[in-house]
Amino acid sequence: MHETLTPAGPARPSAAEANEAIRHLVETGVDGEWPSEAYEFLLAEWAEASRAEVSPAH
């Protein structure tokens, strides 16, 4: 079973940090099972951070 990290505060990770967490999750694996809930959570964090980091074109 995998451990879920509890955020220390309201700050979200940057897109790069979320991407690195996704890479780590995929590379390390957990007992041969795909950690779908953790992956979906990290993917949502990455998507939110990516939207926040992209400024609209004017």
Side-chain angles (χ1 to χ4, degrees), residues 3-54:
E3 292 181 14
T4 303
L5 299 176
T6 303
R12 293 192 105 117
S14 69
E17 291 168 329
N19 189 39
E20 186 60 32
I22 290 169
R23 286 178 191 262
H24 178 73
L25 181 68
V26 171
E27 289 172 359
T28 58
V30 179
D31 299 329
E33 292 183 29
W34 178 247
S36 59
E37 288 181 24
Y39 179 78
E40 289 174 16
F41 172 79
L42 290 171
L43 191 58
E45 290 290 301
W46 173 83
E48 183 64 31
S50 294
R51 281 192 289 272
E53 292 176 8
V54 175

